[in-house]
Every structure is written in structure tokens, then in C-alpha cells.
Amino acid sequence: MTQQTVKKPAKACYDHLGGKLGALLLEQFINKGWIAKEKSSDKYFFITDKGEQEFAKLGVDLSQIKSEKL
């Protein structure tokens, strides 16, 4: 009998990361102050100055995200 490797899924939702991993990342980005909302009732998050620095350290190219008026 062979031993199976148990893998944890990282779901894709259309063209982005979803599922539990996506939710955990979102929670950490908020807790670390990398993303925020102007008001808690706002629909969208924005990337903070700290987030820009930290994502850059991870090699995330934020220039691929176009600026939008939120």
C-alpha cells in the first residue's frame, strides 16, 4: 500500500486566489496593515504605504495594478 500525500487546496476563483487560503491571506494583509479601507463600510481595500514596501520585498510587482478612484 502506498502512502498518499495530503495536499491543501489553493482555490482559483476566476483569475484570482480564493477559498480558505485567499481568506487567510486577506486577514493577514489587514492585520499587518498592508491593506486597509478608508471606512469599515467601504467595499474596496487599498494598498497602504507599508503594504507597498512589504509586497515589494516579496517580489510582488504592484505596477501591474492600475490606480482607481475608490
Side-chain angles (χ1 to χ4, degrees):
M1 207 169 173
T2 61
Q3 186 177 13
Q4 285 187 324
T5 302
V6 177
K7 296 180 181 176
K8 294 183 184 262
K11 286 186 182 178
C13 181
Y14 295 98
D15 63 349
H16 60 274
L17 188 62
K20 186 62 176 176
L21 178 58
L24 289 169
L25 287 169
L26 175 65
E27 182 181 323
Q28 285 302 304
F29 295 157
I30 294 166
N31 290 342
K32 292 178 180 294
W34 296 12
I35 63 173
K37 293 181 178 183
E38 291 287 334
K39 298 179 290 186
S40 61
S41 61
D42 287 349
K43 182 176 180 180
Y44 299 105
F45 291 91
F46 65 91
I47 300 169
T48 64
D49 291 340
K50 180 178 181 181
E52 287 187 24
Q53 295 169 2
E54 297 301 324
F55 284 121
K57 288 179 189 175
L58 293 174
V60 177
D61 180 6
L62 297 178
S63 71
Q64 296 183 48
I65 303 172
K66 65 180 181 178
S67 296
E68 298 179 23
K69 188 172 184 178
L70 300 180

